[in-house]
C-alpha cells in the first residue's frame, strides 16, 4: 500500500516545489502604488473632463533577479471609457529625478517604456504624470459617484509581466487618495458665491476680513479666494459646521488697493463662476500685537526654563526676551555665544537659560513683535534663587503671597542630589511639620505656618532641618502673626 502512495507523494512534492519557485520568482520585486488627481486629495474627477493624473509607485528591487526582473516597461490598464493619447504623457521620475520615457497606448493599456531599463537593486519612489479624459456617463447632479479602477504592473526586458498587479497603498506619504480607484462625479459646477464682501481692520492692523454666505450645496469642498495677481487661497469647508456665514482673515496685506474675488468648488476642476470683484483699501500696520501670555520662569537643575503661551495676534513673527536683577533696568537677554535671544513665532514657545545665576532675585520679560516691528507690552516674571529660607521672618496672616509663607530652597545645600524634605521643630524640639513634594524634581518647599493638623502655630522662633539626599542643613525661621 505504501508503494502505491509513493508516486502520488512524489508528484505532490514536485508540484509544491514548482509552486514555491513560481511564487518566489514573482515576489522578488515588490511594489505598492496609488493614483491621484493633480490638486485634488479625494480622487474626484468631473465626468468628461481632462485631468492630470499622477501614478506613484514604490518599487523594492532589493531581491530582484537579473535580466528576468529588470524593468523596461510600466503598464497601466485604464478603466473603460478613459482616454489617454501619447501626447498626453508629461513625465517619468525616479526619486525626484526625471528620466527618459515614452507613453505607448496598447488598446486599453498604457505602456510607459523607459529609455534606460531599471537594473539596480534599489528601493525607489517612481512617479508617472499624464493627462487623461474621463468617461462621460449620464450622471444626474444627485447621483452617487461612479468608481473607476486603474491597475498597474511591471514588465521585463522581454515584455513579460514581473509578478502580479501592484497593490494599492499610501505610497507618496501624503493624505490623499491612497488607491488605484477614482470617483467620477457629475460635471455640474456649484452656484456662484453670494454676499461676498471685504473690510479692512479697524484697529490699525493691515488685515482684511472677507465674509460670504456659505454654499447650500453639500458637495462644495471649499472656496478659492483671489487677491490681485497673488496665488489663490484655498479655504476648505469645515465639516459638520452649522454656521451660515464663512469668514476668512487675510493677514499682513501690503498697504494699497486690493481687488478680491471668490469661487466655490467641488473639485479644483469643477468651480463656480467667479464673484464680482470687491475692492479694499489697506492702510499701513500701526497696531502693536497683543503680548504673550502666562510667562513662566522655573529653575531646574541649575538652569532656567522660560516658557510662555503665544500671542493671539496672527501677524507676530518673533519674541524678544529681556533680563535684569530685580529693581534694575532690564536689557536684552544674551545667549552664551553673545547673540541676542530672539525666538521665531513658528518655533517653540520656550527658552533654556543655561547661565549660573547664583543667589538673588531676577526679572525675565518678554514682548511680541510683528512683521513691521510693532512691539507688544512687556510681560515680566520674577525668579528668586535662594540660598536660605525666604522671607524670614514671615507673616502667615498677611494677604501678600510674597510674605505669608516661607520658601525653603534645595540649593541651601550645594552640590548634592537626592530626596528633598524639610522638618520643622518648635523651640522645645517637638516636630510640628514635615514638608515633602510629590514631584521628585521639586527645588523648593513652602511652609504656610501651619502644623500637621492644619492649625496656625504661635508667633516665635522655629528650627528647620533641610535634607537633600544624605546631606542636611539647619537654621531658624521666625513666625510673626
Amino acid at each position: 500500500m505504501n508503494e502505491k502512495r509513493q508516486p502520488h507523494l512524489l508528484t505532490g512534492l514536485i508540484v509544491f516545489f514548482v509552486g514555491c519557485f513560481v511564487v518566489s520568482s514573482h515576489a522578488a520585486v515588490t511594489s505598492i502604488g496609488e493614483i491621484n488627481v493633480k490638486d485634488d486629495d479625494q480622487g474626484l474627477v468631473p465626468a468628461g473632463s481632462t485631468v492630470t493624473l499622477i501614478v506613484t509607485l514604490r518599487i523594492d528591487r532589493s531581491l530582484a533577479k537579473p535580466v528576468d526582473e529588470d524593468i523596461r516597461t510600466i503598464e497601466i490598464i485604464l478603466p473603460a471609457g478613459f482616454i489617454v493619447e501619447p501626447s498626453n504623457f508629461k513625465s517619468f521620475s525616479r526619486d525626484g529625478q526625471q528620466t527618459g520615457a515614452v507613453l505607448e497606448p496598447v488598446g486599453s493599456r498604457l505602456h510607459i517604456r523607459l529609455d534606460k531599463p531599471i537594473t539596480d537593486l534599489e528601493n525607489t519612489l517612481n512617479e508617472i504624470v499624464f493627462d487623461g479624459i474621463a468617461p462621460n456617463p449620464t450622471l444626474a447632479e444627485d447621483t452617487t459617484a461612479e468608481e473607476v479602477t486603474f491597475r498597474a504592473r511591471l514588465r521585463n526586458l522581454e515584455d513579460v509581466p514581473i509578478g502580479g498587479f501592484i497593490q494599492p497603498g499610501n505610497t507618496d506619504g501624503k493624505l490623499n487618495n491612497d488607491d488605484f480607484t477614482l470617483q467620477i462625479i457629475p460635471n455640474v459646477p456649484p452656484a456662484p458665491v453670494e454676499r461676498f464682501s471685504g473690510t479692512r481692520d479697524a484697529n490699525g492692523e493691515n488685515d482684511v476680513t472677507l465674509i460670504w454666505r456659505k454654499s447650500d450645496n453639500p458637495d462644495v469642498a471649499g472656496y478659492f479666494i483671489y487677491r490681485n495677481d497673488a496665488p489663490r487661497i484655498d479655504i476648505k469647508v469645515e465639516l459638520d459646521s452649522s454656521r451660515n456665514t464663512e469668514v476668512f482673515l487675510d493677514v499682513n496685506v501690503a498697504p494699497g488697493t486690493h481687488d478680491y474675488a471668490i469661487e466655490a468648488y467641488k473639485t479644483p476642476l469643477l468651480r463656480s463662476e467667479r464673484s464680482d470683484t470687491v475692492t479694499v483699501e489697506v492702510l499701513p500696520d500701526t497696531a502693536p500685537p497683543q503680548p504673550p501670555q502666562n510667562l513662566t520662569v522655573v529653575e531646574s537643575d541649575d538652569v532656567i526654563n522660560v516658557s510662555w503661551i503665544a500671542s493671539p495676534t496672527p501677524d507676530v513673527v518673533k519674541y524678544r526676551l529681556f533680563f535684569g536683577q530685580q529693581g534694575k533696568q532690564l536689557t536684552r537677554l544674551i545667549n552664551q555665544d553673545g547673540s541676542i535671544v530672539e525666538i521665531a513665532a513658528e518655533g517653540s514657545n520656550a527658552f533654556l537659560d543655561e547661565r549660573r545665576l547664583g543667589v538673588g532675585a531676577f526679572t525675565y520679560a518678554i514682548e511680541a513683535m510683528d512683521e513691521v516691528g510693532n512691539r507688544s507690552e512687556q510681560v515680566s516674571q520674577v525668579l528668586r534663587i535662594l540660598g536660605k529660607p525666604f522671607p524670614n521672618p514671615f507673616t502667615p496672616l498677611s494677604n501678600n503671597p510674597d510674605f505669608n509663607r516661607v520658601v525653603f530652597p534645595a540649593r541651601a545645600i550645594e552640590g548634592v542630589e537626592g530626596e528633598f524634605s524639610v522638618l520643622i521643630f518648635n523651640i522645645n524640639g517637638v516636630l510640628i511639620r514635615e514638608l515633602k513634594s510629590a514631584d521628585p524634581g521639586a527645588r523648593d518647599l513652602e511652609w504656610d505656618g501651619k502644623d500637621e493638623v492644619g492649625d496656625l502655630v504661635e508667633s516665635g522662633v522655629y528650627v528647620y532641618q533641610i535634607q537633600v539626599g544624605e546631606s542636611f542643613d539647619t537654621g531658624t525661621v521666625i513666625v510673626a502673626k
Side-chain angles (χ1 to χ4, degrees):
M1 187 169 183
N2 289 339
E3 292 180 357
K4 292 181 179 179
R5 286 189 175 181
Q6 283 187 5
H8 298 287
L9 177 61
L10 180 60
T11 301
L13 289 173
I14 292 173
V15 171
F16 173 76
F17 284 115
V18 170
C20 288
F21 174 78
V22 172
V23 171
S24 64
S25 68
H26 290 312
V29 177
T30 57
S31 306
I32 61 170
E34 59 182 288
I35 188 168
N36 284 282
V37 181
K38 184 180 178 182
D39 298 326
D40 179 81
D41 294 336
Q42 306 301 315
L44 302 178
V45 180
S49 63
T50 299
V51 293
T52 298
L53 300 176
I54 303 171
V55 176
T56 310
L57 306 176
R58 173 71 67 180
I59 302 176
D60 183 358
R61 289 183 45 80
S62 57
L63 300 176
K65 296 179 179 179
V67 182
D68 286 348
E69 295 184 332
D70 291 343
I71 302 171
R72 165 65 77 181
T73 302
I74 299 174
E75 181 180 55
I76 299 173
I77 298 179
L78 300 174
F82 232 101
I83 301 173
V84 179
E85 300 293 343
S87 59
N88 297 145
F89 180 65
K90 291 183 174 293
S91 65
F92 171 76
S93 61
R94 195 164 186 243
D95 288 337
Q97 299 295 319
Q98 287 197 17
T99 184
V102 295
L103 185 151
E104 299 176 359
V106 182
S108 63
R109 297 174 292 165
L110 304 179
H111 281 186
I112 293 86
R113 297 198 185 277
L114 310 181
D115 290 353
K116 183 179 179 181
I118 298 175
T119 60
D120 55 51
L121 303 178
E122 301 293 334
N123 186 332
T124 58
L125 188 67
N126 302 266
E127 183 180 271
I128 305 163
V129 183
F130 58 91
D131 287 341
I133 302 175
N136 194 12
T138 303
L139 296 173
E141 186 171 3
D142 58 354
T143 301
T144 303
E146 179 177 301
E147 288 190 351
V148 293
T149 300
F150 296 72
R151 292 190 294 172
R153 62 183 172 186
L154 310 175
R155 304 183 77 93
N156 68 11
L157 304 177
E158 302 298 327
D159 206 26
V160 175
I162 303 172
F165 289 105
I166 296 172
Q167 295 299 307
N170 188 330
T171 309
D172 58 10
K174 302 175 183 177
L175 295 175
N176 47 29
N177 192 41
D178 299 340
D179 202 341
F180 282 118
T181 298
L182 300 178
Q183 311 290 323
I184 307 298
I185 62 175
N187 199 342
V188 180
V193 175
E194 298 179 354
R195 301 179 187 174
F196 180 60
S197 65
T199 56
R200 71 181 181 218
D201 185 85
N203 299 311
E205 290 282 2
N206 57 333
D207 302 338
V208 174
T209 301
L210 302 171
I211 301 175
W212 62 96
R213 186 173 181 269
K214 180 180 178 181
S215 173
D216 295 330
N217 192 320
D219 293 329
V220 166
Y223 304 89
F224 288 137
I225 294 176
Y226 300 85
R227 169 166 45 89
N228 302 337
D229 297 326
R232 69 189 184 193
I233 303 167
D234 188 357
I235 309 298
K236 302 293 186 184
V237 167
E238 183 179 336
L239 298 178
D240 302 324
S241 171
S242 59
R243 63 175 180 264
N244 295 320
T245 302
E246 301 281 10
V247 179
F248 173 72
L249 182 66
D250 195 11
V251 178
N252 292 346
V253 182
T257 301
H258 297 275
D259 293 331
Y260 287 89
I262 191 171
E263 298 169 341
Y265 69 86
K266 296 181 180 180
T267 79
L269 294 172
L270 199 56
R271 311 194 297 264
S272 71
E273 294 181 3
R274 194 171 297 190
S275 70
D276 292 336
T277 298
V278 171
T279 301
V280 181
E281 180 71 24
V282 179
L283 302 178
D285 184 356
T286 59
Q290 296 184 51
Q293 303 170 2
N294 290 12
L295 177 64
T296 302
V297 183
V298 178
E299 181 201 15
S300 176
D301 297 327
D302 294 329
V303 297
I304 312 301
N305 294 285
V306 183
S307 61
W308 59 93
I309 294 177
S311 166
T313 303
D315 64 348
V316 167
V317 295
K318 62 184 176 182
Y319 298 96
R320 307 201 309 174
L321 294 175
F322 297 80
F323 173 82
Q325 287 190 310
Q326 192 174 20
K328 297 184 179 180
Q329 184 176 1
L330 301 181
T331 59
R332 297 289 300 277
L333 187 59
I334 305 297
N335 285 304
Q336 288 184 318
D337 62 4
S339 61
I340 295 176
V341 176
E342 291 187 341
I343 309 297
E346 65 270 16
S348 171
N349 294 330
F351 174 73
L352 189 65
D353 189 355
E354 298 181 340
R355 298 175 302 168
R356 292 183 174 272
L357 297 180
V359 175
F362 306 92
T363 300
Y364 286 82
I366 187 172
E367 66 182 21
M369 180 178 289
D370 67 16
E371 82 287 358
V372 296
N374 294 319
R375 296 154 51 186
S376 73
E377 295 179 357
Q378 287 187 359
V379 178
S380 62
Q381 181 68 40
V382 175
L383 171 70
R384 291 185 175 88
I385 301 178
L386 309 175
K388 293 292 183 180
F390 179 87
N392 191 10
F394 75 105
T395 307
L397 296 180
S398 171
N399 292 325
N400 190 334
D402 289 336
F403 295 98
N404 62 10
R405 63 196 63 219
V406 60
V407 178
F408 296 93
R411 68 164 48 226
I413 304 175
E414 296 288 348
V416 295
E417 297 292 337
E419 186 179 6
F420 174 32
S421 63
V422 176
L423 302 177
I424 300 172
F425 304 87
N426 64 18
I427 200 67
N428 298 317
V430 178
L431 177 66
I432 60 169
R433 187 73 181 271
E434 180 178 6
L435 305 174
K436 287 186 177 181
S437 174
D439 179 6
R443 305 297 293 170
D444 299 307
L445 290 172
E446 296 181 352
W447 182 41
D448 56 4
K450 296 179 181 179
D451 59 20
E452 291 289 357
V453 297
D455 295 331
L456 280 175
V457 300
E458 296 297 326
S459 298
V461 178
Y462 291 82
V463 178
Y464 67 81
Q465 177 179 299
I466 298 177
Q467 184 158 344
V468 181
E470 300 298 323
S471 301
F472 64 90
D473 185 29
T474 59
T476 60
V477 292
I478 299 174
V479 177
K481 294 198 292 185

